[in-house]
């Protein structure tokens, strides 16, 4: 069975950084992109970006350019998303999700989400 | 960015009803399109990809159609487990974008 397990909730001050992990199991890690999506409280879904575990390549939404770093570790089948220079607007649940393939498709399995609260 | 507009934003329906949700894209996205279901406090769940491909394990009362700029999700006979929020998504052009959601609640 495919599982994605995320790290626990985080509370950060404005200007700080947060790193969220996504431990995967039950499938061949290198055969699927890992996507990151966030959801602010009471709001809709917002795509952050993806990491290709096979190559280490990434692509993120322009609004996060320069602030987000997505990585992966094939030895532990874990993906990571780090977001820097946090503001209150970054308060959200951050989800990792498995892409259906390796070239950007729909997201067929999701982690439970990691709540990130940014507050002074 | 491609804008995805869902209608309605809220839909009140009864068990057994036929329900249709529409999603319009601001430009042609061919069939690179998905529907997700989300329940409160839970992660989204993929229902349909490539506009009309039903995910394994998703009940056959769910169906998707459309291509280009207009898409629909139909639930043929609404069940108690179907009360949730539904999101559409395009993955044709970066940045991938979602609709604002359609909440299906009990009439």
């Amino acid at each position: 069975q495919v599982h994605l397990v995320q790290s626990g909730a985080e509370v950060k001050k404005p200007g700080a950084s947060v790193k969220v992990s996504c431990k995967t199991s039950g499938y061949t890690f290198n055969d699927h992109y890992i996507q990151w999506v966030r959801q602010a409280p009471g709001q809709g879904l917002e795509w952050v970006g993806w990491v290709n575990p096979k190559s280490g390549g990434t692509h993120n939404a322009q609004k996060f350019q320069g602030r987000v770093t997505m990585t992966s570790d094939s030895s532990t089948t874990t993906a990571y998303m780090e977001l820097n220079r946090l503001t209150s607007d970054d308060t959200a649940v951050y989800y990792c999700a498995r892409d259906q393939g390796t070239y950007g498709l729909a997201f067929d399995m999701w982690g439970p989400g990691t709540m990130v609260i940014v507050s002074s | 960015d491609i804008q995805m507009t869902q209608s309605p934003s809220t839909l009140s329906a009864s068990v057994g009803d036929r329900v249709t949700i529409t999603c319009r894209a601001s430009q042609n996205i061919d069939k690179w399109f998905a529907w997700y279901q989300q329940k409160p406090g839970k992660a989204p769940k993929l229902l349909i990809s490539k506009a009309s491909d039903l995910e394994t394990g998703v009940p056959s009362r769910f169906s998707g159609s459309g291509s280009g700029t207009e898409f629909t999700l139909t639930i043929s006979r609404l069940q108690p487990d179907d009360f949730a929020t539904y999101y559409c998504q395009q993955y044709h052009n970066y940045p991938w974008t979602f609709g604002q959601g359609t909440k299906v609640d009990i009439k």
Side-chain angles (χ1 to χ4, degrees), chain A residues 1-23:
Chain A
Q1 274 187 331
V2 175
H3 288 290
L4 288 79
V5 178
Q6 298 185 228
S7 47
E10 303 263 13
V11 180
K12 296 291 183 181
K13 293 198 181 304
S17 299
V18 68
K19 190 170 186 177
V20 179
S21 66
C22 175
K23 167 69 177 170

Side-chain angles (χ1 to χ4, degrees), chain A residues 4 15 19 23 25 28 30 37 82 90 92 98-99 119-120:
Chain A
L4 288 79
K19 190 170 186 177
K23 167 69 177 170
S25 61
T28 303
N30 284 354
V37 176
E82 183 172 25
D90 295 315
R98 188 185 77 162
D99 193 288
S119 173
S120 55

Side-chain angles (χ1 to χ4, degrees), chain A residues 35 37 39 43-47 50 59 61 95 99-100 103-108 110-112, chain B residues 32 34 36 38 41-46 48-49 55 87 89 91 94-100:
Chain A
Q35 301 278 353
V37 176
Q39 186 170 37
Q43 302 301 308
L45 302 168
E46 181 177 31
W47 177 70
W50 55 252
H59 190 94
Y95 293 103
D99 193 288
Q100 286 179 310
Y103 38 87
L105 297 172
F107 312 159
D108 64 357
W110 293 64
Chain B
W32 302 112
Y36 298 86
Q38 187 179 32
K42 300 294 186 182
K45 173 187 174 182
L46 178 63
I48 288 168
S49 61
E55 282 298 290
Y87 291 94
Q89 181 215 3
Y91 47 98
Y94 291 125
W96 292 328
T97 46
F98 293 87
Q100 81 279 15

Side-chain angles (χ1 to χ4, degrees), chain B residues 57-79:
Chain B
V58 174
S60 59
R61 63 181 180 271
F62 290 90
S63 63
S65 64
S67 68
T69 61
E70 188 154 339
F71 301 84
T72 59
L73 172 70
T74 300
I75 309 172
S76 60
R77 289 177 55 180
L78 200 65
Q79 297 300 300

Side-chain angles (χ1 to χ4, degrees), chain A:
Chain A
Q1 274 187 331
V2 175
H3 288 290
L4 288 79
V5 178
Q6 298 185 228
S7 47
E10 303 263 13
V11 180
K12 296 291 183 181
K13 293 198 181 304
S17 299
V18 68
K19 190 170 186 177
V20 179
S21 66
C22 175
K23 167 69 177 170
T24 73
S25 61
Y27 71 97
T28 303
F29 185 61
N30 284 354
D31 286 353
H32 298 262
Y33 285 6
I34 292 292
Q35 301 278 353
W36 291 93
V37 176
R38 76 178 186 180
Q39 186 170 37
Q43 302 301 308
L45 302 168
E46 181 177 31
W47 177 70
V48 176
W50 55 252
V51 57
N52 179 350
K54 189 171 187 177
S55 68
T58 63
H59 190 94
N60 56 264
Q62 186 65 29
K63 73 174 288 185
F64 301 104
Q65 194 65 32
R67 280 210 304 142
V68 69
T69 303
M70 291 170 290
T71 57
S72 62
D73 182 344
S74 295
S75 68
T76 60
T77 65
T78 302
Y80 301 90
M81 185 216 59
E82 183 172 25
L83 191 62
N84 303 318
R85 303 193 300 278
L86 293 168
T87 73
S88 57
D89 288 343
D90 295 315
T91 294
V93 176
Y94 288 76
Y95 293 103
C96 63
R98 188 185 77 162
D99 193 288
Q100 286 179 310
T102 56
Y103 38 87
L105 297 172
F107 312 159
D108 64 357
M109 296 297 297
W110 293 64
T114 296
M115 183 74 220
V116 175
I117 296 171
V118 183
S119 173
S120 55

Side-chain angles (χ1 to χ4, degrees), chain B residues 5-23:
Chain B
T5 304
Q6 290 182 234
S7 60
S9 295
T10 306
L11 188 161
S12 296
S14 302
V15 172
D17 284 354
R18 180 181 180 88
V19 165
T20 299
I21 300 169
T22 297
C23 184

